[in-house]
Amino acid sequence: ASRSSVMRDERGQALRRIGINWDVTEVRTTAAERQEKLLAQRENQAKSRFLARMSHELRTPLNAVIGFAQLLLAEGEAASATTARQRLGHILSAGEHLLGLINEVLDLSSLESGELPVQAQVLGLRPLIDEVLPLVENLAAQHQVSLQCLRSEGLVRVDPTRMRQVLINLLSNAIKYNRPGGTVNVDAR
């Protein structure tokens, strides 16, 4: 960087220029390093928020898989074939949901762009709700909260994975922030 000023005689004519030059490399390097550090901190915070959200999203279906598997093992041959088949269906459903979430995490291109692909389909609302309710039954039992599905009519155009996530989050929060002996009613049209 440099600064200078003109020295003039009594008539205003320029006699000479006096100036100074100094090296600003260190100042600019420090400013650039500060910017890079702030950017790295923001990226780190974004990754931390993402990991916190994903750990929450992954735990619910994983808990359902483990819970229903434990029930099957505990009951052994005492469980009816129908009950065992239902629980295996719940394990499969939770496992497929978990796999969908993991596939999203592994899709680096969608993570880098900040967008997750949406694959909207027309689906019955009742089958989606019926698929999600068993995934939160153990949580409801732990909190002594009952679950009731009043209505769930019609068709919806949704991404099944996103809809499961939304339903699981809504139901989990309704259960966690309920009172012992409370009820969570699912009513959708």
Side-chain angles (χ1 to χ4, degrees), residues 30-68:
T30 302
E33 288 171 356
R34 191 176 320 123
Q35 280 298 106
E36 288 175 13
K37 185 177 179 182
L38 288 173
L39 180 61
Q41 285 175 340
R42 282 196 298 266
E43 287 176 355
N44 193 30
Q45 289 170 347
K47 285 179 188 177
S48 294
R49 284 190 304 271
F50 172 77
L51 288 174
R53 193 188 116 243
M54 283 313 299
S55 68
H56 173 75
E57 298 287 339
L58 296 174
R59 279 190 183 116
T60 302
L62 188 56
N63 283 335
V65 168
I66 292 169
F68 285 114

Side-chain angles (χ1 to χ4, degrees), residues 79-94:
S80 72
T82 304
T83 300
R85 191 160 185 74
Q86 284 176 337
R87 291 194 173 136
L88 286 171
H90 296 321
I91 290 171
L92 178 63
S93 173

Side-chain angles (χ1 to χ4, degrees), residues 6-168:
V6 176
M7 300 299 293
R8 300 184 185 276
D9 63 15
E10 7 354 283
R11 293 176 287 154
Q13 293 292 329
L15 293 173
R16 65 180 167 266
R17 182 171 287 274
I18 297 178
I20 184 170
N21 293 322
W22 69 95
D23 188 356
V24 293
T25 304
E26 188 175 328
V27 172
R28 289 195 177 175
T29 302
T30 302
E33 288 171 356
R34 191 176 320 123
Q35 280 298 106
E36 288 175 13
K37 185 177 179 182
L38 288 173
L39 180 61
Q41 285 175 340
R42 282 196 298 266
E43 287 176 355
N44 193 30
Q45 289 170 347
K47 285 179 188 177
S48 294
R49 284 190 304 271
F50 172 77
L51 288 174
R53 193 188 116 243
M54 283 313 299
S55 68
H56 173 75
E57 298 287 339
L58 296 174
R59 279 190 183 116
T60 302
L62 188 56
N63 283 335
V65 168
I66 292 169
F68 285 114
Q70 287 172 336
L71 284 173
L72 282 171
L73 287 172
E75 292 173 351
E77 294 182 21
S80 72
T82 304
T83 300
R85 191 160 185 74
Q86 284 176 337
R87 291 194 173 136
L88 286 171
H90 296 321
I91 290 171
L92 178 63
S93 173
E96 288 172 344
H97 181 57
L98 187 59
L99 179 61
L101 293 172
I102 291 170
N103 284 338
E104 286 178 4
V105 171
L106 297 177
D107 186 3
L108 296 177
S109 63
S110 63
L111 289 177
E112 288 173 1
S113 70
E115 297 177 15
L116 293 173
V118 175
Q119 298 174 2
Q121 302 171 17
V122 176
L123 300 170
L125 193 52
R126 183 63 189 225
L128 282 170
I129 293 171
D130 288 344
E131 188 178 333
V132 168
L133 284 175
L135 302 182
V136 294
E137 282 178 348
N138 285 340
L139 182 65
Q142 289 171 6
H143 288 270
Q144 301 170 348
V145 172
S146 65
L147 294 170
Q148 294 181 348
C149 186
L150 303 176
R151 278 184 298 214
S152 52
E153 308 164 359
L155 300 173
V156 289
R157 183 173 172 78
V158 295
D159 181 310
T161 302
R162 301 284 171 271
M163 188 63 178
R164 282 187 210 101
Q165 284 177 281
V166 168
L167 289 171
I168 288 170

